[in-house]
Amino acid sequence: MRKVRAVFLILLSAAALLGLFCIAVNLYVVSYARPYVYSDVNSLPYKYTVILPGARVFRNTVSHVVADRIEGTLRCIQAGKAERILVSGDHGRKDYDEVNQILAYMQRVYGTDDSIVFLDHAGFSTYETAYRARDVFCVKDAVIVTQKFHTCRAVYIARKLGLDAVALEAPEQFQYARRTKAGWEIREFLARVKAFLNVALGAKPTYLGEQIPITGDPKASRD
C-alpha cells in the first residue's frame, strides 16, 4: 500500500506541475501578444499583407468562422490597411480544398479582385501558416484576421518567427452558441502550449517549396 500511495503521489505531483506549466505558458503567450491585437480596423497600423487563416469549408460554401475572417480581411483592404491577401489553409487532398473554396466565395459574394490574392495550399496549422508566409511567400509584415480566441496565439507565433505581425479580431456576423465558444477556449488553452513548444523547438512545416513573393504574381500560387 505504501508503494501504491507513493506512486499515486508522484503521478499527482507530475500532473500538478504539468497543469501549472500549461497555465504559465497561456499567461505568457496572451500577455506577449495582447498589445498587438486590435478590435477596430481603423486603429490598425498599415501592413502590406493580410493573412487569412483557413478553417472548415463545405462543397459550395464556407463555415461561419471563415465568412467572418473573410469579412474582416476585406475590411482591411477597403480601409487601406493592407494591399495583398494571403489565404492559407488545408488543401492536402483532392476532395478537400479550403483555399480555393475561400477564394471562390470571396469572388462570388464580394467580387474580390483575385490579382491581390495569394493561396497557400499547405497551411495545415497556424504555425505552418506563419512559417510558410515568411519562408515561401516572403511576407515581412502582416495583419492576421481571425476570431478573438485565436488572435493571441496567431500573433505570438508570427512574431516569434520574425514577422512584424498584428491581429484583427474578425467581426462576428453570426451568433455563436456559448457552448461553441467554450469549446474553442478549451482547445485554445492546449493549442497555446503546442505553439509555445513548436516555437521553442524550431519545428518545421510539413512542406516548404519554391518562393512565391507576396509582391509578385499571385498566379504562381494557384494549383
Side-chain angles (χ1 to χ4, degrees):
M1 287 298 294
R2 289 182 178 178
K3 290 183 178 180
V4 172
R5 187 178 301 171
V7 170
F8 174 76
L9 289 174
I10 290 172
L11 292 175
L12 186 62
S13 298
L17 288 173
L18 179 61
L20 288 173
F21 171 76
C22 292
I23 291 171
V25 165
N26 270 264
L27 291 173
Y28 169 64
V29 169
V30 171
S31 64
Y32 175 91
R34 181 58 65 190
Y36 306 105
V37 175
Y38 295 80
S39 58
D40 178 13
V41 69
N42 295 313
S43 301
L44 274 175
Y46 170 84
K47 306 294 179 185
Y48 187 75
T49 304
V50 182
I51 296 177
L52 196 170
R56 185 68 178 170
V57 299
F58 308 102
R59 184 175 297 275
N60 295 312
T61 189
V62 300
S63 63
H64 291 338
V65 168
V66 172
D68 284 348
R69 293 178 185 182
I70 290 171
E71 175 68 23
T73 293
L74 295 180
R75 287 183 187 181
C76 290
I77 297 295
Q78 292 161 2
K81 299 297 183 176
E83 299 179 36
R84 295 289 187 272
I85 299 170
L86 176 59
V87 177
S88 181
D90 183 351
H91 187 191
R93 59 186 194 269
K94 291 183 179 179
D95 62 344
Y96 185 73
D97 180 355
E98 290 181 356
V99 292
N100 279 298
Q101 188 66 261
I102 291 171
L103 176 59
Y105 183 92
M106 292 168 70
Q107 291 176 311
R108 183 173 68 252
V109 176
Y110 294 93
T112 304
D113 178 6
D114 66 358
S115 69
I116 64 169
V117 182
F118 288 70
L119 303 182
D120 177 7
H121 303 265
F124 302 126
S125 66
T126 304
Y127 183 83
E128 292 182 273
T129 289
Y131 201 115
R132 286 174 53 82
R134 183 194 69 184
D135 284 19
V136 175
F137 294 92
C138 306
V139 172
K140 298 187 184 328
D141 58 340
V143 179
I144 305 169
V145 178
T146 188
Q147 276 67 32
K148 182 177 181 179
F149 74 90
H150 182 215
T151 51
C152 286
R153 174 163 59 99
V155 166
Y156 172 80
I157 292 170
R159 296 191 71 87
K160 286 295 183 178
L161 290 178
L163 299 180
D164 178 12
V166 297
L168 175 67
E169 295 175 5
E172 193 168 307
Q173 304 175 94
F174 307 93
Q175 285 293 108
Y176 300 102
R178 289 184 180 180
R179 183 170 57 183
T180 298
K181 290 185 175 181
W184 287 344
E185 293 292 349
I186 292 170
R187 288 195 298 272
E188 190 63 19
F189 180 84
L190 298 175
R192 289 184 189 127
V193 177
K194 182 181 179 182
F196 175 84
L197 294 175
N198 279 338
V199 168
L201 298 174
K204 302 296 183 183
T206 306
Y207 301 110
L208 278 174
E210 297 181 5
Q211 289 187 336
I212 307 172
I214 197 73
T215 54
D217 187 350
K219 292 180 181 178
S221 70
R222 303 291 191 263
D223 59 357

